[in-house]
Amino acid sequence: MRSGVVGLLPSDPPSITAADARRARELGFTGSSVQLGQPDTYSLDEFRRVGDLLSAEGLTVAQANGQYPSLISLDPTVRQAGIDGMQRHMQAAHALRAETLYIRPGGLNPVGPWYPHPDHHQPAAFERAVESIAAIADAAEAEGITLTVEGHVLSVLDRPERIAELFCRLPTHALGFNLDPVNFIGSIWDAWNPTPVYERLLEAAAGRIPAAHWKDYTLEDRLVLHIEEVPLGQGVVDHAAWLEALNEIAPRAWVLIEHLPPELIPAAKRVLDAAMAEAGLSWDPA
């Protein structure tokens, strides 16, 4: 498997420097995400420059990630704008020589795509997601782009079985899964015993996992249920066991530390390196 990071490089591509890339490499990362912004925010020449700069420093663009309108909106013109935006992001991903292009299904909550809405869990929303993602996957297959779709317990792709159904409906290998198991922990029973959820995700997306977002979580001492992300090693995830299981089915997957500020990433990388060693694994070289 390969070691990568989200959020260490500047989120504004023109401001990425060789020093930023060297910092990532010094921490032991061989890949990183690059933010694309809104469609057409930056020129393709700018993305080519960034791709060349990172490549020269030995850092692969493991994942490109852009913004676009919701793919499950009730308004067909909004959904089409999301499809069109993803197709323009494919050009940026090509210019960066990114290995994967991240795709979120979007949502119906105006606050953001990962916030709750009761209709996210209804069949009609899932059908809109399938239709939109199918159009994007067709374009990606023609362009030679690998997509990585992500889910979340609050989203339309809310459980492993929905992921399995999506891949059954859309068998093209242009569409992969961005494994983010912490996103699927939604009950007290799963929170205390998350490995069965993780195993269901691996089974649902076997052969379709080019990348994973790696996080940790704990349960807060508050009334009702509060599941909170925490730095790696401070939560309940058995990182060594989970890495070993992932390596068995996706030995070339990118494992990308996510949702940490830059100052906490070095410590998280040490925890992840120790977990790899405990599992008897080592990172693939650059």
Side-chain angles (χ1 to χ4, degrees):
M1 294 187 296
R2 295 175 288 174
S3 178
V5 63
V6 178
L8 189 59
L9 298 182
S11 60
D12 178 46
S15 67
I16 295 173
T17 67
D20 296 319
R22 285 194 291 271
R23 171 61 172 156
R25 292 292 287 120
E26 287 166 359
L27 291 174
F29 297 110
T30 58
S32 177
S33 69
V34 171
Q35 299 297 313
L36 305 178
Q38 295 289 341
D40 302 326
T41 300
Y42 308 103
S43 71
L44 294 182
D45 285 342
E46 187 61 50
F47 285 122
R48 290 189 190 97
R49 183 195 67 80
V50 172
D52 290 344
L53 179 154
L54 296 177
S55 179
E57 297 297 332
L59 193 67
T60 298
V61 181
Q63 191 170 74
N65 185 343
Q67 302 297 317
Y68 50 88
S70 173
L71 300 176
I72 66 165
S73 172
L74 294 169
D75 185 342
T77 61
V78 173
R79 295 199 302 275
Q80 187 60 51
I83 294 168
D84 293 343
M86 276 299 297
Q87 290 176 338
R88 289 195 292 276
H89 285 323
M90 290 178 199
Q91 298 173 14
H94 256 312
L96 283 166
R97 300 194 295 279
E99 289 202 3
T100 67
L101 175 61
Y102 177 92
I103 176 172
R104 67 186 63 77
L108 301 173
N109 188 320
V111 175
W114 299 118
Y115 287 86
H117 192 285
D119 289 345
H120 287 172
H121 315 286
Q122 300 302 315
F126 180 68
E127 291 302 320
R128 293 195 299 274
V130 171
E131 182 179 354
S132 296
I133 294 171
I136 295 167
D138 285 345
E141 189 167 28
E143 294 290 334
I145 292 286
T146 298
L147 303 168
T148 50
V149 65
E150 186 168 284
H152 191 287
V153 70
L154 298 180
S155 78
V156 65
L157 302 178
D158 57 0
R159 54 194 184 274
E161 292 71 25
R162 275 251 166 105
I163 300 301
E165 184 177 353
L166 178 69
F167 287 134
C168 182
R169 298 272 296 273
L170 303 177
T172 171
H173 279 267
L175 180 64
F177 184 46
N178 188 78
L179 175 70
D180 193 331
V182 169
N183 282 4
F184 290 84
I185 305 304
S187 73
I188 187 66
W189 299 277
D190 292 339
W192 287 130
N193 184 28
T195 295
V197 175
Y198 183 63
E199 291 172 344
R200 285 160 54 206
L201 285 169
L202 295 183
E203 181 180 2
R208 309 285 286 270
I209 306 176
H213 285 172
W214 214 259
K215 302 182 297 202
D216 207 339
Y217 73 92
T218 192
L219 286 88
E220 293 189 331
D221 291 330
R222 297 170 61 188
L223 295 178
V224 193
L225 174 64
H226 293 274
I227 300 170
E228 186 68 20
E229 290 183 21
V230 293
L232 270 61
Q234 297 182 22
V236 305
V237 171
D238 186 340
H239 296 288
W242 283 21
L243 288 165
E244 184 176 7
L246 177 59
N247 185 70
E248 288 180 2
I249 67 167
R252 287 288 291 163
W254 286 103
V255 178
L256 299 152
I257 292 174
E258 190 201 26
H259 284 181
L260 290 177
E263 63 270 18
L264 295 183
I265 289 174
K269 182 61 163 60
R270 290 192 291 272
V271 169
L272 203 54
D273 289 345
M276 285 286 285
E278 182 182 344
L281 302 171
S282 57
W283 297 114
D284 291 353

